[in-house]
Amino acid sequence: MTSKILPIVFGAALGVAATAASAATLDDVKAKGFVQCGSNTGLAGFAAPDDKGEWNGIDVDVCRAIAAAIFDDPKAVKFTPLTAKERFTALQTGEVDVLVRNTTWTMSRDTTLGLNFAGVNYYDGQGFMVRKSLDVTSALELSGASVCVQTGTTTELNLTDYFKANGMEYKPVVFEKLEEVNAAYDANRCDVYTTDASGLYSIRLQLTNPGDHMVLPEIISKEPLGPVVRQGDDQWFNLVRWTLFAMINAEEMGVTMANVEEMKGSDNPNVKRLLGVDGKFGEAIGLSNDWAARIIKHVGNYGEVFDRNVGPNTPLGIARGVNALWSKGGLQYAPPIR
Protein backbone atom coordinates (compact mmCIF):
# COMPACT_ATOMS: atom_id res chain seq x y z
CA MET A 1 0.00 0.00 0.00
CA THR A 2 1.40 3.36 -0.84
CA SER A 3 -0.39 5.96 1.32
CA LYS A 4 1.13 8.50 -1.04
CA ILE A 5 1.40 11.86 0.70
CA LEU A 6 1.32 14.90 -1.57
CA PRO A 7 4.33 17.23 -1.92
CA ILE A 8 4.08 20.51 0.01
CA VAL A 9 5.98 23.74 -0.15
CA PHE A 10 7.68 23.09 3.17
CA GLY A 11 8.88 19.72 1.92
CA ALA A 12 10.28 21.29 -1.23
CA ALA A 13 12.22 23.82 0.83
CA LEU A 14 13.62 21.05 2.99
CA GLY A 15 14.61 19.18 -0.15
CA VAL A 16 16.68 22.09 -1.42
CA ALA A 17 18.40 22.43 1.94
CA ALA A 18 19.07 18.72 2.19
CA THR A 19 20.61 18.46 -1.28
CA ALA A 20 23.69 20.45 -0.38
CA ALA A 21 24.28 18.31 2.69
CA SER A 22 23.67 14.94 1.11
CA ALA A 23 27.04 14.31 -0.52
CA ALA A 24 29.25 11.43 0.64
CA THR A 25 26.43 9.35 2.09
CA LEU A 26 28.46 6.20 1.52
CA ASP A 27 31.32 7.59 3.62
CA ASP A 28 28.89 8.39 6.42
CA VAL A 29 27.33 4.93 6.22
CA LYS A 30 30.72 3.23 6.34
CA ALA A 31 31.78 5.37 9.29
CA LYS A 32 28.76 4.43 11.41
CA GLY A 33 28.81 0.79 10.26
CA PHE A 34 25.22 0.41 9.10
CA VAL A 35 22.55 1.67 6.69
CA GLN A 36 19.66 3.60 8.22
CA CYS A 37 16.65 2.62 6.17
CA GLY A 38 13.25 4.32 6.26
CA SER A 39 10.50 1.69 6.17
CA ASN A 40 6.78 1.20 6.60
CA THR A 41 5.37 1.02 10.11
CA GLY A 42 4.11 -2.46 9.30
CA LEU A 43 2.91 -3.81 5.95
CA ALA A 44 3.09 -7.59 5.64
CA GLY A 45 5.12 -8.76 2.67
CA PHE A 46 6.81 -5.39 2.25
CA ALA A 47 8.10 -4.18 5.61
CA ALA A 48 6.96 -5.50 8.96
CA PRO A 49 8.63 -6.86 12.11
CA ASP A 50 7.82 -10.42 13.17
CA ASP A 51 7.06 -11.51 16.74
CA LYS A 52 10.82 -11.48 17.46
CA GLY A 53 11.26 -7.94 16.16
CA GLU A 54 12.99 -9.13 12.98
CA TRP A 55 12.05 -7.08 9.91
CA ASN A 56 10.91 -8.88 6.75
CA GLY A 57 9.52 -7.96 3.34
CA ILE A 58 10.39 -6.95 -0.21
CA ASP A 59 11.36 -3.43 0.82
CA VAL A 60 13.32 -4.75 3.80
CA ASP A 61 15.29 -7.03 1.48
CA VAL A 62 16.29 -4.07 -0.70
CA CYS A 63 17.69 -2.41 2.43
CA ARG A 64 19.48 -5.62 3.41
CA ALA A 65 20.87 -5.91 -0.12
CA ILE A 66 22.38 -2.42 0.15
CA ALA A 67 23.98 -3.41 3.45
CA ALA A 68 25.26 -6.66 1.95
CA ALA A 69 26.83 -4.80 -0.98
CA ILE A 70 28.64 -2.41 1.35
CA PHE A 71 29.50 -4.53 4.39
CA ASP A 72 29.08 -8.13 3.18
CA ASP A 73 26.52 -8.30 5.99
CA PRO A 74 22.75 -8.04 5.37
CA LYS A 75 22.19 -7.31 9.05
CA ALA A 76 24.22 -4.10 8.97
CA VAL A 77 21.01 -2.10 8.65
CA LYS A 78 18.67 -0.36 11.07
CA PHE A 79 15.05 0.38 10.29
CA THR A 80 13.15 3.58 11.02
CA PRO A 81 9.37 2.99 10.77
CA LEU A 82 7.79 6.02 9.08
CA THR A 83 4.23 7.08 8.39
CA ALA A 84 3.28 8.47 5.00
CA LYS A 85 3.40 11.98 6.46
CA GLU A 86 6.87 11.51 7.98
CA ARG A 87 8.73 9.64 5.26
CA PHE A 88 9.96 12.40 2.93
CA THR A 89 11.01 14.75 5.72
CA ALA A 90 13.00 11.93 7.36
CA LEU A 91 14.95 11.41 4.16
CA GLN A 92 15.37 15.11 3.37
CA THR A 93 16.79 15.89 6.82
CA GLY A 94 19.17 12.93 6.87
CA GLU A 95 17.36 10.94 9.55
CA VAL A 96 17.52 8.00 7.14
CA ASP A 97 20.04 7.20 4.38
CA VAL A 98 17.51 5.69 2.01
CA LEU A 99 13.72 5.39 1.93
CA VAL A 100 12.37 2.00 0.86
CA ARG A 101 8.76 2.26 1.90
CA ASN A 102 6.28 1.26 -0.85
CA THR A 103 6.49 4.82 -2.17
CA THR A 104 5.13 5.76 -5.57
CA TRP A 105 7.41 7.42 -8.11
CA THR A 106 5.68 10.54 -9.46
CA MET A 107 6.89 13.60 -11.36
CA SER A 108 6.26 16.03 -8.52
CA ARG A 109 8.10 13.88 -6.00
CA ASP A 110 10.99 13.46 -8.40
CA THR A 111 11.32 17.18 -9.17
CA THR A 112 10.21 19.26 -6.18
CA LEU A 113 11.35 17.49 -3.02
CA GLY A 114 15.11 17.31 -3.56
CA LEU A 115 14.83 13.53 -3.93
CA ASN A 116 15.60 10.91 -6.61
CA PHE A 117 13.86 7.59 -7.20
CA ALA A 118 16.45 4.91 -7.85
CA GLY A 119 14.24 2.39 -9.64
CA VAL A 120 11.11 0.26 -9.26
CA ASN A 121 11.14 -2.78 -7.00
CA TYR A 122 7.38 -3.36 -7.28
CA TYR A 123 4.93 -2.28 -9.99
CA ASP A 124 1.59 -1.69 -8.33
CA GLY A 125 -1.76 -0.01 -8.91
CA GLN A 126 -4.67 1.20 -6.81
CA GLY A 127 -7.54 -1.21 -6.28
CA PHE A 128 -10.62 -1.87 -4.16
CA MET A 129 -11.44 -4.42 -1.47
CA VAL A 130 -15.02 -5.26 -0.46
CA ARG A 131 -16.90 -7.75 1.65
CA LYS A 132 -18.08 -10.72 -0.34
CA SER A 133 -21.51 -10.16 1.20
CA LEU A 134 -21.77 -6.94 -0.81
CA ASP A 135 -22.22 -9.23 -3.81
CA VAL A 136 -20.32 -7.14 -6.37
CA THR A 137 -17.70 -8.32 -8.84
CA SER A 138 -16.54 -5.02 -10.30
CA ALA A 139 -15.64 -1.55 -9.06
CA LEU A 140 -18.11 -0.22 -11.61
CA GLU A 141 -20.88 -1.55 -9.35
CA LEU A 142 -19.84 0.62 -6.39
CA SER A 143 -21.93 3.73 -7.04
CA GLY A 144 -23.35 5.01 -3.75
CA ALA A 145 -20.88 3.05 -1.63
CA SER A 146 -18.98 4.44 1.35
CA VAL A 147 -15.23 4.17 0.81
CA CYS A 148 -12.49 4.11 3.46
CA VAL A 149 -9.36 5.96 2.34
CA GLN A 150 -6.31 7.60 3.89
CA THR A 151 -6.60 11.36 3.63
CA GLY A 152 -3.97 13.64 2.10
CA THR A 153 -2.78 10.98 -0.35
CA THR A 154 -2.84 10.49 -4.10
CA THR A 155 -4.98 7.44 -3.31
CA GLU A 156 -7.70 9.87 -2.27
CA LEU A 157 -7.29 11.88 -5.48
CA ASN A 158 -7.35 8.76 -7.68
CA LEU A 159 -10.56 7.69 -5.97
CA THR A 160 -12.24 11.00 -6.79
CA ASP A 161 -11.07 10.85 -10.41
CA TYR A 162 -12.27 7.27 -10.91
CA PHE A 163 -15.79 7.80 -9.59
CA LYS A 164 -16.17 11.09 -11.45
CA ALA A 165 -14.94 9.60 -14.73
CA ASN A 166 -17.45 6.76 -14.44
CA GLY A 167 -20.41 8.93 -13.42
CA MET A 168 -20.70 7.34 -9.98
CA GLU A 169 -21.23 8.77 -6.51
CA TYR A 170 -19.59 7.69 -3.27
CA LYS A 171 -19.23 8.71 0.35
CA PRO A 172 -15.60 9.14 1.46
CA VAL A 173 -14.73 7.93 4.96
CA VAL A 174 -11.30 9.44 5.61
CA PHE A 175 -8.63 8.95 8.27
CA GLU A 176 -5.07 10.22 8.63
CA LYS A 177 -3.39 7.04 9.88
CA LEU A 178 -3.27 3.67 8.17
CA GLU A 179 -4.21 1.85 11.36
CA GLU A 180 -7.35 3.99 11.64
CA VAL A 181 -8.42 3.15 8.09
CA ASN A 182 -7.87 -0.56 8.74
CA ALA A 183 -9.88 -0.48 11.94
CA ALA A 184 -12.75 1.46 10.37
CA TYR A 185 -13.11 -0.96 7.47
CA ASP A 186 -12.86 -3.98 9.77
CA ALA A 187 -15.58 -2.46 11.98
CA ASN A 188 -17.88 -2.14 8.94
CA ARG A 189 -17.86 1.67 8.99
CA CYS A 190 -17.52 1.66 5.19
CA ASP A 191 -18.38 -0.66 2.31
CA VAL A 192 -15.10 -0.41 0.43
CA TYR A 193 -11.38 -0.04 1.17
CA THR A 194 -9.14 1.51 -1.47
CA THR A 195 -5.34 1.67 -1.62
CA ASP A 196 -2.61 -0.03 -3.67
CA ALA A 197 -3.54 -3.59 -4.57
CA SER A 198 -0.47 -4.99 -2.83
CA GLY A 199 -1.53 -3.24 0.35
CA LEU A 200 -5.04 -4.64 0.08
CA TYR A 201 -3.71 -8.20 -0.02
CA SER A 202 -1.59 -7.46 3.04
CA ILE A 203 -4.34 -5.66 4.97
CA ARG A 204 -6.84 -8.42 4.25
CA LEU A 205 -4.68 -10.82 6.28
CA GLN A 206 -5.01 -8.53 9.30
CA LEU A 207 -8.80 -8.38 9.26
CA THR A 208 -10.93 -10.28 11.76
CA ASN A 209 -12.23 -12.63 9.05
CA PRO A 210 -9.93 -12.40 6.01
CA GLY A 211 -11.95 -14.93 4.03
CA ASP A 212 -14.98 -12.64 4.07
CA HIS A 213 -13.25 -10.09 1.83
CA MET A 214 -12.13 -9.94 -1.78
CA VAL A 215 -10.02 -7.64 -3.95
CA LEU A 216 -11.87 -6.51 -7.06
CA PRO A 217 -10.15 -6.89 -10.46
CA GLU A 218 -9.94 -3.21 -11.46
CA ILE A 219 -6.61 -1.39 -11.19
CA ILE A 220 -7.25 2.35 -11.53
CA SER A 221 -3.76 3.88 -11.41
CA LYS A 222 -0.05 3.34 -12.01
CA GLU A 223 1.92 3.00 -8.77
CA PRO A 224 5.60 2.22 -9.46
CA LEU A 225 7.11 1.70 -6.01
CA GLY A 226 10.80 2.03 -5.37
CA PRO A 227 13.74 3.21 -3.23
CA VAL A 228 14.36 6.94 -2.82
CA VAL A 229 17.53 8.89 -2.02
CA ARG A 230 18.44 12.55 -1.62
CA GLN A 231 19.55 14.51 -4.67
CA GLY A 232 23.14 15.71 -4.82
CA ASP A 233 25.01 12.45 -4.17
CA ASP A 234 25.38 10.55 -7.43
CA GLN A 235 27.60 7.86 -5.91
CA TRP A 236 24.93 6.88 -3.37
CA PHE A 237 22.18 7.15 -5.99
CA ASN A 238 24.14 4.80 -8.29
CA LEU A 239 24.83 2.35 -5.47
CA VAL A 240 21.17 2.05 -4.52
CA ARG A 241 20.01 1.88 -8.14
CA TRP A 242 22.51 -0.80 -9.14
CA THR A 243 21.79 -2.84 -6.04
CA LEU A 244 18.26 -3.29 -7.38
CA PHE A 245 19.49 -3.82 -10.94
CA ALA A 246 21.95 -6.48 -9.75
CA MET A 247 19.11 -8.52 -8.23
CA ILE A 248 17.05 -8.27 -11.42
CA ASN A 249 20.00 -9.19 -13.64
CA ALA A 250 20.85 -12.10 -11.37
CA GLU A 251 17.40 -13.60 -11.82
CA GLU A 252 17.65 -13.23 -15.58
CA MET A 253 21.03 -14.99 -15.58
CA GLY A 254 19.91 -17.76 -13.24
CA VAL A 255 22.24 -16.76 -10.42
CA THR A 256 20.74 -17.64 -7.01
CA MET A 257 21.64 -17.76 -3.35
CA ALA A 258 22.31 -21.47 -3.74
CA ASN A 259 24.58 -21.36 -6.80
CA VAL A 260 26.29 -17.95 -6.65
CA GLU A 261 29.69 -19.36 -5.68
CA GLU A 262 29.50 -22.02 -8.38
CA MET A 263 28.43 -19.43 -10.98
CA LYS A 264 31.66 -17.49 -10.43
CA GLY A 265 33.21 -20.17 -12.62
CA SER A 266 30.76 -19.57 -15.45
CA ASP A 267 32.01 -18.94 -18.98
CA ASN A 268 29.23 -16.41 -19.53
CA PRO A 269 30.86 -12.95 -19.67
CA ASN A 270 27.68 -11.29 -18.35
CA VAL A 271 27.75 -13.51 -15.27
CA LYS A 272 31.45 -12.85 -14.77
CA ARG A 273 30.90 -9.10 -14.79
CA LEU A 274 27.91 -9.41 -12.45
CA LEU A 275 29.83 -11.44 -9.90
CA GLY A 276 33.03 -9.38 -10.05
CA VAL A 277 35.18 -12.00 -11.75
CA ASP A 278 35.82 -9.64 -14.66
CA GLY A 279 35.99 -5.86 -14.57
CA LYS A 280 36.05 -3.30 -11.79
CA PHE A 281 32.42 -2.27 -11.69
CA GLY A 282 32.25 -2.22 -7.90
CA GLU A 283 35.02 0.34 -7.68
CA ALA A 284 32.94 2.70 -9.80
CA ILE A 285 30.39 2.96 -7.00
CA GLY A 286 32.81 2.87 -4.08
CA LEU A 287 32.51 -0.85 -3.33
CA SER A 288 34.51 -4.05 -3.72
CA ASN A 289 34.15 -5.72 -7.10
CA ASP A 290 32.23 -8.66 -5.62
CA TRP A 291 29.45 -6.29 -4.45
CA ALA A 292 26.73 -8.02 -6.49
CA ALA A 293 27.88 -11.48 -5.44
CA ARG A 294 27.51 -10.36 -1.83
CA ILE A 295 23.93 -9.23 -2.50
CA ILE A 296 22.93 -12.50 -4.12
CA LYS A 297 24.70 -14.64 -1.51
CA HIS A 298 22.97 -12.95 1.41
CA VAL A 299 19.62 -11.78 0.00
CA GLY A 300 19.04 -13.51 -3.33
CA ASN A 301 17.96 -12.43 -6.79
CA TYR A 302 14.78 -10.45 -7.44
CA GLY A 303 12.67 -13.54 -8.06
CA GLU A 304 13.79 -15.12 -4.81
CA VAL A 305 12.96 -11.94 -2.91
CA PHE A 306 9.51 -11.71 -4.51
CA ASP A 307 8.64 -15.37 -3.95
CA ARG A 308 9.87 -15.37 -0.35
CA ASN A 309 7.84 -12.35 0.70
CA VAL A 310 4.68 -12.02 -1.38
CA GLY A 311 4.65 -14.84 -3.94
CA PRO A 312 2.04 -17.54 -4.61
CA ASN A 313 3.30 -19.76 -1.77
CA THR A 314 3.07 -17.03 0.87
CA PRO A 315 -0.03 -15.92 2.79
CA LEU A 316 -0.37 -12.95 0.40
CA GLY A 317 -0.38 -15.25 -2.63
CA ILE A 318 0.47 -12.57 -5.22
CA ALA A 319 1.29 -13.74 -8.76
CA ARG A 320 4.33 -12.20 -10.49
CA GLY A 321 2.13 -10.52 -13.13
CA VAL A 322 3.73 -7.26 -14.32
CA ASN A 323 6.56 -7.84 -11.84
CA ALA A 324 7.81 -10.77 -13.89
CA LEU A 325 11.01 -10.33 -15.88
CA TRP A 326 10.65 -8.58 -19.24
CA SER A 327 11.64 -11.86 -20.89
CA LYS A 328 8.62 -13.52 -19.28
CA GLY A 329 6.01 -10.92 -20.14
CA GLY A 330 6.59 -8.56 -17.20
CA LEU A 331 8.11 -5.11 -16.70
CA GLN A 332 11.19 -5.92 -14.62
CA TYR A 333 14.15 -5.00 -16.79
CA ALA A 334 17.64 -3.96 -15.73
CA PRO A 335 20.40 -2.37 -17.83
CA PRO A 336 23.46 -4.55 -18.34
CA ILE A 337 26.60 -4.50 -16.23
CA ARG A 338 29.37 -3.85 -18.71
Side-chain angles (χ1 to χ4, degrees), residues 107-295:
M107 181 177 179
S108 58
R109 290 173 176 177
D110 210 26
T111 59
T112 66
L113 298 182
L115 305 176
N116 281 329
F117 282 77
V120 179
N121 72 320
Y122 191 91
Y123 289 95
D124 209 345
Q126 186 173 331
F128 299 93
M129 179 165 61
V130 299
R131 291 171 182 77
K132 293 178 180 178
S133 60
L134 199 60
D135 197 27
V136 299
T137 58
S138 168
L140 295 174
E141 302 173 43
L142 296 177
S143 186
S146 56
V147 184
C148 278
V149 62
Q150 192 170 12
T151 189
T153 63
T154 55
T155 302
E156 187 178 19
L157 300 180
N158 292 337
L159 173 65
T160 300
D161 289 348
Y162 181 77
F163 273 77
K164 182 177 180 180
N166 288 285
M168 301 189 301
E169 297 181 354
Y170 73 101
K171 177 185 177 182
V173 182
V174 300
F175 299 90
E176 179 181 349
K177 297 181 179 179
L178 172 64
E179 295 79 9
E180 294 173 335
V181 188
N182 295 351
Y185 177 75
D186 202 21
N188 206 17
R189 294 179 60 184
C190 54
D191 304 311
V192 185
Y193 193 138
T194 186
T195 188
D196 291 349
S198 61
L200 294 176
Y201 284 105
S202 177
I203 291 162
R204 183 173 61 175
L205 298 177
Q206 304 169 34
L207 299 176
T208 303
N209 296 297
D212 292 347
H213 307 266
M214 62 182 290
V215 177
L216 297 176
E218 285 83 3
I219 297 296
I220 69 169
S221 69
K222 294 187 293 184
E223 310 293 342
L225 313 180
V228 194
V229 298
R230 291 180 292 276
Q231 289 180 1
D233 188 343
D234 286 349
Q235 181 187 54
W236 185 247
F237 172 75
N238 288 333
L239 189 158
V240 173
R241 164 171 277 187
W242 282 94
T243 292
L244 176 58
F245 286 164
M247 291 191 284
I248 296 171
N249 276 321
E251 181 183 8
E252 186 173 346
M253 296 177 199
V255 183
T256 68
M257 295 180 75
N259 70 14
V260 61
E261 294 300 326
E262 176 186 349
M263 291 293 279
K264 289 180 179 179
S266 171
D267 293 329
N268 185 328
N270 292 310
V271 173
K272 287 185 174 182
R273 287 191 290 268
L274 172 70
L275 301 182
V277 176
D278 284 349
K280 297 182 178 181
F281 297 97
E283 292 182 12
I285 53 175
L287 302 178
S288 65
N289 290 320
D290 66 344
W291 63 282
R294 293 176 171 186
I295 293 170

